[in-house]
Amino acid sequence: MEALIALIVGVLTACGVYLALRGRTFPLVLGLTLLSYAVNLFLFVTGRLTVALPAVISEEAAGYADPLPQALVLTAIVISFGMTAFLIMLALKARAELGTDHVDGQRGGSGPR
Amino acid sequence: MNLLFVVLIPFMGAGLAAWMAGFGRLQSAWMAGGVTLTALLVLLPAAAPSFIGETVIQRVPWMPRLGLDLVFRLDGLGLLFVLMILGIGLLIILYARYYLAERDSMGRFYGYLLLFMGSMLGVVLSENLILLLMFWEMTSLSSFLLISYWQHREDARIGARMALTITGLGGLALLGGFVLLGEIAGSYDLSVILASGAAIRAHPLYPPMLVLILVGAFTKSAQFPFHFWLPHAMAAPTPVSAYLHSATLVKAGVFLLARLFPALSGTTEWSVLVIGTGLTTLLVGAYFALFKHDLKGLLAYSTISHLGLITLLFGIGTPLAAVAGIFHIINHATFKASLFMAAGIIDHECGTRDMRRINGLWQFMPYTGTLAMVAAAAMAGVPLFNGFLSKEMFFGETVTFSASHTWEWLLPTAVVIGGILAVAYSLRFIHDVFFNGDPVDLPKTPHEPPRWMKVPVEVLVAACLLVGMLPAYTVAPLLDMAAEGVLQAAPPDYDLAIWHGVNAAVLMSIAALIGGALVYAGRRPLFALAAQLEGRLDAKAVYDWVLKHVLASADGVTRGLDSGSLQRMMLVLVLAALTLGTAGFLSAGAPLTGDRALLPVDPVSVLVAVALGVVAVWTVILHRRRLTALIVMGALGLLISLIFVKFSAPDLALTQLSVEVVTVVLLLLALYFLPQHTPTESDRPRRIRDIAAATLAGVGAAALTWAVLTREYDSIADFFLANSVPGGGGGNVVNVILVDFRGFDTLGEISVLALAGLGVYAMLKDLRLPGPTWDVRDRPWNWDMHPTIMAALTRLLLPLTLVVSVFIFLRGHNLPGGGFIAGLITAVALIMQYLANGVEWTHERMKANLHPVIGLGLLIGLLTGLASLVLGYPFLTSTFTHVHWPIIGDFELASAIAFDLGVYLVVVGATLLILVHLGLMHDASHVDAAATQRPRSG
């Protein structure tokens, strides 16, 4: 199971990095979203894998998953939404001001279709 | 406590004075004067013990764990400086009220002045070195504001920047010196440091520490070779110059020498550095002062020269020399402030400061002339004026000091030359300005200034005379008190009499007076010589050269690193992370796989993993077709929430699910305004390079995850699990961590979210982007109204969804749920209305402005925290109780729920703010497009 998770984190990172290296804003945002999936997943599993033991206190529970990484990742997910939103607005603003959606704001770019 | 208030009052008064300016120009001046007087009154209770030689220390805990308290001390030295800062400050405030022109902003002036005054008071009253340094830096910053007060003038801006650069660099050196000193002494408190002088001087780190502290003191008090910023600071309004030069800024440097005198002085290093610098500064300053044609320039260089004199006295290192140093600080403050004020009056009345044009003013303003003459005589060291007494002590000390050294004639000769130049430039100030023929082409006809503008000058000049003639009855107690504060011991015997009989000091004074008169008489050839040398001896040129090259090299480094291409920087970032990670892994020498027992694999998990991998790769392959790629990516988020479900994280699964919905909606809305296709730009080798880098990054991340997952670890989870119910009153540990144990973090996080929301709003506010009129396959965009079935369904669903979100919110403390998730669900429910019914329709029915919602959420979060502070618990401590409600049963009420409500509101507010405004922009473009396009499509 650990290998599967490692594989998933790896694939998400690779896809995220490739997209982040593209030259247009939209793929860049997609790439960063993929990367944040990978990072959140990684942070989450630093609490190690525990099946069917949620961190909700009850008398019957046999044990609990580590709640700390979960709490960290919960806010991280919300914050990554905030970041994605800010980034995509920046992309829109750049499109409006520079007339292109190239990340460096150059090379002509394509106008509105 | 009152010392803290003495320091704080000017800071608070700064705001008041600036605010009062709204009610009229004079109100601001009255306020500033009132604030200064209040500070003086508040000081009084502590002043009496310091006056008889006790040290008052007052401590207010601030950051006790760092050993940093707001601790202030008042002894003789501190009291002397406080009296000078506030007393002369009061005179400056009165003077400036007449000096400033109608168009100058009074509020800004007095605001800055009081800020500066507060910082200076902090410097002279601090007991802790770090605290002192903070105020020291604040004097640099506030003097920057004062010097650049006339912002429209380029010389003011340049002068202010130069002052800030030099004193700021000195502040850095001082920080280094203070840290060394604190570590050597074992304490940052002055009481300890001043008492352990011998140990400090014997320490091997003493020389570097001394050099750093001296650089700090010398830059501030404009000692050679850092002296050049002071004349350029002349661009400030004259009241500011008068204040900076007499009682404050530059005196902070010599104050530091006096303050640390018992701890640092008496070594060879101290003598060589301090005497050498002081003497050079004394001579260089006096030389330039004589040849300046600018009235204020002459005074500025004379200040440098006098500061050199004071520094030299502290460098000599004997108790008597320190007494003379303090005495000259007092005298210099009085005559220099009055001279600057006189120069300001002359400038004000003549419209120029050029001494080649200002001549013969005696016929226009004899009264001001008399005042200026008294002050200038004190500066020259003429008997019966205060400057004479301290200068004579100075001459005497140099002779005593040199007697025990080889080349005993050298130092006395040099200081007599300095004295000669001082007499010559003082003579020039009087003769050139008030006599020497008639004025040349003055812009205005001068006359005596308003009555009250002269009062501050009169007060100071009277002080010069009284101290000069009756020293034993005027200055003696003050001097005794300050000397005891400096030496931290009873001061030595000294005699303030005007006549001690014929000795070396008197002969030197006479030589200086006669020599000065002769030099001034023979000034014409000297001026010609100086004119030839001008520009060659300019330290500013060196400064400019250094600054230019530092900036150029910084530019070069930036250009070398940053080509302006984000793609390249990204690649560098990825490769750097990879390199560092690999290097770390290889150097650690640990095996990749740890020894933790692994979980068995089940078929469903494999299926999800394969699906995830396929979808991720598919997103990349399809990324040129943006809409498709986005929809595929949406599936990815859902799969990830499945992983959270599988591994016991229901809260995360819920959060991920709802965030995924909002993210996809957001990106869809944004995509409307962006090109629908990504053109192929990178060539094949470049794509292969990127794929290689991405693969390496993926392998690295996978290896890291594997290494982490296969190792055992020590978790602090047990604490949270054990204390969640008894301490936080909630069974859902994740939620209790968020709103209770780590509530402060959460407060920070919702602030970030709020800022992101507001930032997006700010960016979208005036943004106009055309929407597409043709879709990807060149079909005209469809302007159909909103689908009826969906609209009806979402309207029906809304109450249900809201009830669910309330439920999720309320149960969050004990079961999966909470503010974040409930907030997202509410946001999704409302956004569905916008999507299905249109922004306009929804906007009409829900007029709520979203900014207050965000603000309210933050406020609730903050107030919950403050409430526990008020009740005497640490910030954000929570409490809970159980209430029995009819029908519902036992219900738990935790104060953390209020905090969670804050979280909820911020999440709803920020999410909606972002999406609704993007939607509104949509509608705006929609209407334009519809107006032009509809005939074609319909």
PDB file of all heavy atoms in Angstrom, chain A residues 26-54:
ATOM      1  N   PHE A  26      -2.585  29.309 -18.079  1.00  0.00           N
ATOM      2  CA  PHE A  26      -3.574  28.318 -17.665  1.00  0.00           C
ATOM      3  C   PHE A  26      -2.952  26.965 -17.327  1.00  0.00           C
ATOM      4  O   PHE A  26      -3.215  26.409 -16.256  1.00  0.00           O
ATOM      5  CB  PHE A  26      -4.679  28.178 -18.715  1.00  0.00           C
ATOM      6  CG  PHE A  26      -5.881  27.477 -18.183  1.00  0.00           C
ATOM      7  CD1 PHE A  26      -6.768  28.137 -17.341  1.00  0.00           C
ATOM      8  CD2 PHE A  26      -6.132  26.148 -18.497  1.00  0.00           C
ATOM      9  CE1 PHE A  26      -7.864  27.487 -16.821  1.00  0.00           C
ATOM     10  CE2 PHE A  26      -7.234  25.496 -17.980  1.00  0.00           C
ATOM     11  CZ  PHE A  26      -8.109  26.162 -17.142  1.00  0.00           C
ATOM     12  N   PRO A  27      -2.089  26.411 -18.209  1.00  0.00           N
ATOM     13  CA  PRO A  27      -1.423  25.166 -17.820  1.00  0.00           C
ATOM     14  C   PRO A  27      -0.626  25.321 -16.537  1.00  0.00           C
ATOM     15  O   PRO A  27      -0.559  24.387 -15.732  1.00  0.00           O
ATOM     16  CB  PRO A  27      -0.490  24.875 -18.998  1.00  0.00           C
ATOM     17  CG  PRO A  27      -1.013  25.661 -20.117  1.00  0.00           C
ATOM     18  CD  PRO A  27      -1.727  26.835 -19.561  1.00  0.00           C
ATOM     19  N   LEU A  28      -0.048  26.499 -16.337  1.00  0.00           N
ATOM     20  CA  LEU A  28       0.727  26.735 -15.122  1.00  0.00           C
ATOM     21  C   LEU A  28      -0.163  26.576 -13.894  1.00  0.00           C
ATOM     22  O   LEU A  28       0.199  25.924 -12.913  1.00  0.00           O
ATOM     23  CB  LEU A  28       1.326  28.130 -15.173  1.00  0.00           C
ATOM     24  CG  LEU A  28       2.168  28.521 -13.954  1.00  0.00           C
ATOM     25  CD1 LEU A  28       3.487  27.798 -13.984  1.00  0.00           C
ATOM     26  CD2 LEU A  28       2.382  30.010 -13.906  1.00  0.00           C
ATOM     27  N   VAL A  29      -1.368  27.153 -13.966  1.00  0.00           N
ATOM     28  CA  VAL A  29      -2.284  27.038 -12.831  1.00  0.00           C
ATOM     29  C   VAL A  29      -2.685  25.584 -12.616  1.00  0.00           C
ATOM     30  O   VAL A  29      -2.699  25.083 -11.488  1.00  0.00           O
ATOM     31  CB  VAL A  29      -3.531  27.916 -13.059  1.00  0.00           C
ATOM     32  CG1 VAL A  29      -4.555  27.690 -11.966  1.00  0.00           C
ATOM     33  CG2 VAL A  29      -3.132  29.378 -13.090  1.00  0.00           C
ATOM     34  N   LEU A  30      -2.967  24.883 -13.721  1.00  0.00           N
ATOM     35  CA  LEU A  30      -3.288  23.458 -13.599  1.00  0.00           C
ATOM     36  C   LEU A  30      -2.133  22.716 -12.944  1.00  0.00           C
ATOM     37  O   LEU A  30      -2.321  21.890 -12.044  1.00  0.00           O
ATOM     38  CB  LEU A  30      -3.561  22.849 -14.975  1.00  0.00           C
ATOM     39  CG  LEU A  30      -4.862  23.234 -15.681  1.00  0.00           C
ATOM     40  CD1 LEU A  30      -5.068  22.338 -16.897  1.00  0.00           C
ATOM     41  CD2 LEU A  30      -6.050  23.112 -14.755  1.00  0.00           C
ATOM     42  N   GLY A  31      -0.918  23.018 -13.386  1.00  0.00           N
ATOM     43  CA  GLY A  31       0.265  22.346 -12.847  1.00  0.00           C
ATOM     44  C   GLY A  31       0.403  22.580 -11.353  1.00  0.00           C
ATOM     45  O   GLY A  31       0.659  21.652 -10.587  1.00  0.00           O
ATOM     46  N   LEU A  32       0.211  23.846 -10.953  1.00  0.00           N
ATOM     47  CA  LEU A  32       0.348  24.130  -9.525  1.00  0.00           C
ATOM     48  C   LEU A  32      -0.756  23.437  -8.722  1.00  0.00           C
ATOM     49  O   LEU A  32      -0.527  23.011  -7.591  1.00  0.00           O
ATOM     50  CB  LEU A  32       0.325  25.641  -9.289  1.00  0.00           C
ATOM     51  CG  LEU A  32       1.585  26.352  -9.789  1.00  0.00           C
ATOM     52  CD1 LEU A  32       1.482  27.845  -9.541  1.00  0.00           C
ATOM     53  CD2 LEU A  32       2.817  25.799  -9.100  1.00  0.00           C
ATOM     54  N   THR A  33      -1.950  23.312  -9.326  1.00  0.00           N
ATOM     55  CA  THR A  33      -3.012  22.589  -8.623  1.00  0.00           C
ATOM     56  C   THR A  33      -2.604  21.133  -8.424  1.00  0.00           C
ATOM     57  O   THR A  33      -2.754  20.570  -7.332  1.00  0.00           O
ATOM     58  CB  THR A  33      -4.308  22.658  -9.447  1.00  0.00           C
ATOM     59  OG1 THR A  33      -4.527  24.014  -9.822  1.00  0.00           O
ATOM     60  CG2 THR A  33      -5.485  22.182  -8.639  1.00  0.00           C
ATOM     61  N   LEU A  34      -2.061  20.512  -9.479  1.00  0.00           N
ATOM     62  CA  LEU A  34      -1.592  19.129  -9.352  1.00  0.00           C
ATOM     63  C   LEU A  34      -0.506  19.026  -8.282  1.00  0.00           C
ATOM     64  O   LEU A  34      -0.502  18.109  -7.463  1.00  0.00           O
ATOM     65  CB  LEU A  34      -1.034  18.625 -10.687  1.00  0.00           C
ATOM     66  CG  LEU A  34      -2.043  18.354 -11.806  1.00  0.00           C
ATOM     67  CD1 LEU A  34      -1.365  17.638 -12.963  1.00  0.00           C
ATOM     68  CD2 LEU A  34      -3.179  17.509 -11.285  1.00  0.00           C
ATOM     69  N   LEU A  35       0.417  19.997  -8.308  1.00  0.00           N
ATOM     70  CA  LEU A  35       1.492  19.972  -7.318  1.00  0.00           C
ATOM     71  C   LEU A  35       0.938  20.085  -5.908  1.00  0.00           C
ATOM     72  O   LEU A  35       1.417  19.424  -4.979  1.00  0.00           O
ATOM     73  CB  LEU A  35       2.458  21.127  -7.575  1.00  0.00           C
ATOM     74  CG  LEU A  35       3.671  20.804  -8.429  1.00  0.00           C
ATOM     75  CD1 LEU A  35       4.531  22.042  -8.590  1.00  0.00           C
ATOM     76  CD2 LEU A  35       4.489  19.696  -7.779  1.00  0.00           C
ATOM     77  N   SER A  36      -0.095  20.926  -5.744  1.00  0.00           N
ATOM     78  CA  SER A  36      -0.615  21.067  -4.387  1.00  0.00           C
ATOM     79  C   SER A  36      -1.335  19.797  -3.950  1.00  0.00           C
ATOM     80  O   SER A  36      -1.288  19.440  -2.780  1.00  0.00           O
ATOM     81  CB  SER A  36      -1.509  22.304  -4.261  1.00  0.00           C
ATOM     82  OG  SER A  36      -2.661  22.147  -5.038  1.00  0.00           O
ATOM     83  N   TYR A  37      -1.965  19.078  -4.906  1.00  0.00           N
ATOM     84  CA  TYR A  37      -2.487  17.756  -4.552  1.00  0.00           C
ATOM     85  C   TYR A  37      -1.365  16.886  -4.007  1.00  0.00           C
ATOM     86  O   TYR A  37      -1.499  16.230  -2.970  1.00  0.00           O
ATOM     87  CB  TYR A  37      -3.049  17.027  -5.774  1.00  0.00           C
ATOM     88  CG  TYR A  37      -4.351  17.554  -6.317  1.00  0.00           C
ATOM     89  CD1 TYR A  37      -4.662  17.411  -7.663  1.00  0.00           C
ATOM     90  CD2 TYR A  37      -5.281  18.161  -5.486  1.00  0.00           C
ATOM     91  CE1 TYR A  37      -5.851  17.869  -8.176  1.00  0.00           C
ATOM     92  CE2 TYR A  37      -6.480  18.628  -5.988  1.00  0.00           C
ATOM     93  CZ  TYR A  37      -6.762  18.477  -7.345  1.00  0.00           C
ATOM     94  OH  TYR A  37      -7.933  18.930  -7.847  1.00  0.00           O
ATOM     95  N   ALA A  38      -0.257  16.862  -4.754  1.00  0.00           N
ATOM     96  CA  ALA A  38       0.860  15.988  -4.371  1.00  0.00           C
ATOM     97  C   ALA A  38       1.376  16.373  -2.993  1.00  0.00           C
ATOM     98  O   ALA A  38       1.595  15.516  -2.129  1.00  0.00           O
ATOM     99  CB  ALA A  38       1.976  16.090  -5.409  1.00  0.00           C
ATOM    100  N   VAL A  39       1.545  17.670  -2.776  1.00  0.00           N
ATOM    101  CA  VAL A  39       2.117  18.109  -1.499  1.00  0.00           C
ATOM    102  C   VAL A  39       1.165  17.799  -0.352  1.00  0.00           C
ATOM    103  O   VAL A  39       1.564  17.290   0.698  1.00  0.00           O
ATOM    104  CB  VAL A  39       2.435  19.619  -1.559  1.00  0.00           C
ATOM    105  CG1 VAL A  39       2.821  20.133  -0.190  1.00  0.00           C
ATOM    106  CG2 VAL A  39       3.539  19.873  -2.555  1.00  0.00           C
ATOM    107  N   ASN A  40      -0.128  18.093  -0.568  1.00  0.00           N
ATOM    108  CA  ASN A  40      -1.096  17.808   0.495  1.00  0.00           C
ATOM    109  C   ASN A  40      -1.128  16.327   0.829  1.00  0.00           C
ATOM    110  O   ASN A  40      -1.174  15.942   1.992  1.00  0.00           O
ATOM    111  CB  ASN A  40      -2.494  18.273   0.078  1.00  0.00           C
ATOM    112  CG  ASN A  40      -2.609  19.780   0.096  1.00  0.00           C
ATOM    113  OD1 ASN A  40      -1.784  20.454   0.713  1.00  0.00           O
ATOM    114  ND2 ASN A  40      -3.597  20.318  -0.592  1.00  0.00           N
ATOM    115  N   LEU A  41      -1.105  15.522  -0.221  1.00  0.00           N
ATOM    116  CA  LEU A  41      -1.132  14.070  -0.006  1.00  0.00           C
ATOM    117  C   LEU A  41       0.107  13.645   0.775  1.00  0.00           C
ATOM    118  O   LEU A  41       0.025  12.865   1.725  1.00  0.00           O
ATOM    119  CB  LEU A  41      -1.178  13.363  -1.366  1.00  0.00           C
ATOM    120  CG  LEU A  41      -1.650  11.921  -1.348  1.00  0.00           C
ATOM    121  CD1 LEU A  41      -3.015  11.828  -0.699  1.00  0.00           C
ATOM    122  CD2 LEU A  41      -1.706  11.368  -2.763  1.00  0.00           C
ATOM    123  N   PHE A  42       1.252  14.189   0.392  1.00  0.00           N
ATOM    124  CA  PHE A  42       2.493  13.826   1.069  1.00  0.00           C
ATOM    125  C   PHE A  42       2.427  14.216   2.545  1.00  0.00           C
ATOM    126  O   PHE A  42       2.741  13.429   3.430  1.00  0.00           O
ATOM    127  CB  PHE A  42       3.685  14.503   0.391  1.00  0.00           C
ATOM    128  CG  PHE A  42       4.957  14.344   1.153  1.00  0.00           C
ATOM    129  CD1 PHE A  42       5.615  13.124   1.163  1.00  0.00           C
ATOM    130  CD2 PHE A  42       5.491  15.394   1.890  1.00  0.00           C
ATOM    131  CE1 PHE A  42       6.780  12.966   1.884  1.00  0.00           C
ATOM    132  CE2 PHE A  42       6.647  15.230   2.612  1.00  0.00           C
ATOM    133  CZ  PHE A  42       7.289  14.015   2.611  1.00  0.00           C
ATOM    134  N   LEU A  43       1.996  15.457   2.790  1.00  0.00           N
ATOM    135  CA  LEU A  43       1.906  15.902   4.187  1.00  0.00           C
ATOM    136  C   LEU A  43       0.954  15.009   4.973  1.00  0.00           C
ATOM    137  O   LEU A  43       1.218  14.640   6.112  1.00  0.00           O
ATOM    138  CB  LEU A  43       1.415  17.351   4.248  1.00  0.00           C
ATOM    139  CG  LEU A  43       2.424  18.399   3.824  1.00  0.00           C
ATOM    140  CD1 LEU A  43       1.805  19.775   3.934  1.00  0.00           C
ATOM    141  CD2 LEU A  43       3.663  18.304   4.703  1.00  0.00           C
ATOM    142  N   PHE A  44      -0.151  14.672   4.326  1.00  0.00           N
ATOM    143  CA  PHE A  44      -1.133  13.839   5.005  1.00  0.00           C
ATOM    144  C   PHE A  44      -0.535  12.491   5.401  1.00  0.00           C
ATOM    145  O   PHE A  44      -0.704  12.030   6.528  1.00  0.00           O
ATOM    146  CB  PHE A  44      -2.351  13.655   4.095  1.00  0.00           C
ATOM    147  CG  PHE A  44      -3.272  12.559   4.527  1.00  0.00           C
ATOM    148  CD1 PHE A  44      -3.905  12.621   5.769  1.00  0.00           C
ATOM    149  CD2 PHE A  44      -3.521  11.470   3.708  1.00  0.00           C
ATOM    150  CE1 PHE A  44      -4.762  11.609   6.172  1.00  0.00           C
ATOM    151  CE2 PHE A  44      -4.367  10.460   4.119  1.00  0.00           C
ATOM    152  CZ  PHE A  44      -4.987  10.525   5.353  1.00  0.00           C
ATOM    153  N   VAL A  45       0.189  11.862   4.473  1.00  0.00           N
ATOM    154  CA  VAL A  45       0.689  10.513   4.786  1.00  0.00           C
ATOM    155  C   VAL A  45       1.920  10.538   5.681  1.00  0.00           C
ATOM    156  O   VAL A  45       2.373   9.480   6.113  1.00  0.00           O
ATOM    157  CB  VAL A  45       0.985   9.682   3.516  1.00  0.00           C
ATOM    158  CG1 VAL A  45      -0.283   9.483   2.723  1.00  0.00           C
ATOM    159  CG2 VAL A  45       2.087  10.312   2.689  1.00  0.00           C
ATOM    160  N   THR A  46       2.470  11.727   6.002  1.00  0.00           N
ATOM    161  CA  THR A  46       3.545  11.715   7.003  1.00  0.00           C
ATOM    162  C   THR A  46       3.005  11.233   8.346  1.00  0.00           C
ATOM    163  O   THR A  46       3.776  10.866   9.225  1.00  0.00           O
ATOM    164  CB  THR A  46       4.171  13.103   7.200  1.00  0.00           C
ATOM    165  OG1 THR A  46       3.124  14.009   7.492  1.00  0.00           O
ATOM    166  CG2 THR A  46       4.927  13.559   5.994  1.00  0.00           C
ATOM    167  N   GLY A  47       1.673  11.233   8.504  1.00  0.00           N
ATOM    168  CA  GLY A  47       1.078  10.630   9.705  1.00  0.00           C
ATOM    169  C   GLY A  47       0.972   9.112   9.569  1.00  0.00           C
ATOM    170  O   GLY A  47       0.337   8.481  10.392  1.00  0.00           O
ATOM    171  N   ARG A  48       1.570   8.572   8.542  1.00  0.00           N
ATOM    172  CA  ARG A  48       1.546   7.142   8.212  1.00  0.00           C
ATOM    173  C   ARG A  48       0.128   6.685   7.880  1.00  0.00           C
ATOM    174  O   ARG A  48      -0.847   7.349   8.176  1.00  0.00           O
ATOM    175  CB  ARG A  48       2.127   6.271   9.344  1.00  0.00           C
ATOM    176  CG  ARG A  48       3.530   6.667   9.782  1.00  0.00           C
ATOM    177  CD  ARG A  48       4.527   6.682   8.625  1.00  0.00           C
ATOM    178  NE  ARG A  48       5.888   6.898   9.104  1.00  0.00           N
ATOM    179  CZ  ARG A  48       6.448   8.109   9.267  1.00  0.00           C
ATOM    180  NH1 ARG A  48       5.761   9.200   8.969  1.00  0.00           N
ATOM    181  NH2 ARG A  48       7.684   8.212   9.695  1.00  0.00           N
ATOM    182  N   LEU A  49       0.076   5.530   7.238  1.00  0.00           N
ATOM    183  CA  LEU A  49      -1.220   5.046   6.750  1.00  0.00           C
ATOM    184  C   LEU A  49      -1.956   4.270   7.836  1.00  0.00           C
ATOM    185  O   LEU A  49      -1.410   3.366   8.454  1.00  0.00           O
ATOM    186  CB  LEU A  49      -0.994   4.142   5.536  1.00  0.00           C
ATOM    187  CG  LEU A  49      -0.229   4.810   4.391  1.00  0.00           C
ATOM    188  CD1 LEU A  49      -0.090   3.852   3.226  1.00  0.00           C
ATOM    189  CD2 LEU A  49      -0.931   6.077   3.953  1.00  0.00           C
ATOM    190  N   THR A  50      -3.172   4.674   8.093  1.00  0.00           N
ATOM    191  CA  THR A  50      -3.987   3.938   9.062  1.00  0.00           C
ATOM    192  C   THR A  50      -5.357   3.751   8.432  1.00  0.00           C
ATOM    193  O   THR A  50      -5.941   4.719   7.943  1.00  0.00           O
ATOM    194  CB  THR A  50      -4.163   4.727  10.368  1.00  0.00           C
ATOM    195  OG1 THR A  50      -4.123   6.113  10.052  1.00  0.00           O
ATOM    196  CG2 THR A  50      -3.103   4.389  11.380  1.00  0.00           C
ATOM    197  N   VAL A  51      -5.854   2.529   8.444  1.00  0.00           N
ATOM    198  CA  VAL A  51      -7.126   2.250   7.787  1.00  0.00           C
ATOM    199  C   VAL A  51      -8.229   2.148   8.831  1.00  0.00           C
ATOM    200  O   VAL A  51      -8.069   1.482   9.862  1.00  0.00           O
ATOM    201  CB  VAL A  51      -7.035   0.935   6.971  1.00  0.00           C
ATOM    202  CG1 VAL A  51      -8.383   0.615   6.332  1.00  0.00           C
ATOM    203  CG2 VAL A  51      -5.954   1.065   5.914  1.00  0.00           C
ATOM    204  N   ALA A  52      -9.326   2.871   8.593  1.00  0.00           N
ATOM    205  CA  ALA A  52     -10.548   2.760   9.397  1.00  0.00           C
ATOM    206  C   ALA A  52     -10.349   3.117  10.866  1.00  0.00           C
ATOM    207  O   ALA A  52     -10.949   2.526  11.738  1.00  0.00           O
ATOM    208  CB  ALA A  52     -11.150   1.370   9.277  1.00  0.00           C
ATOM    209  N   LEU A  53      -9.475   4.074  11.141  1.00  0.00           N
ATOM    210  CA  LEU A  53      -9.311   4.522  12.523  1.00  0.00           C
ATOM    211  C   LEU A  53      -9.367   6.051  12.584  1.00  0.00           C
ATOM    212  O   LEU A  53      -8.372   6.691  12.907  1.00  0.00           O
ATOM    213  CB  LEU A  53      -7.973   4.036  13.092  1.00  0.00           C
ATOM    214  CG  LEU A  53      -7.758   2.541  13.220  1.00  0.00           C
ATOM    215  CD1 LEU A  53      -6.315   2.232  13.590  1.00  0.00           C
ATOM    216  CD2 LEU A  53      -8.708   1.960  14.267  1.00  0.00           C
ATOM    217  N   PRO A  54     -10.486   6.653  12.235  1.00  0.00           N
ATOM    218  CA  PRO A  54     -10.520   8.115  12.217  1.00  0.00           C
ATOM    219  C   PRO A  54     -10.249   8.702  13.597  1.00  0.00           C
ATOM    220  O   PRO A  54     -10.520   8.058  14.614  1.00  0.00           O
ATOM    221  CB  PRO A  54     -11.945   8.434  11.759  1.00  0.00           C
ATOM    222  CG  PRO A  54     -12.734   7.205  12.022  1.00  0.00           C
ATOM    223  CD  PRO A  54     -11.791   6.066  11.903  1.00  0.00           C
TER     224      PRO A  54
END
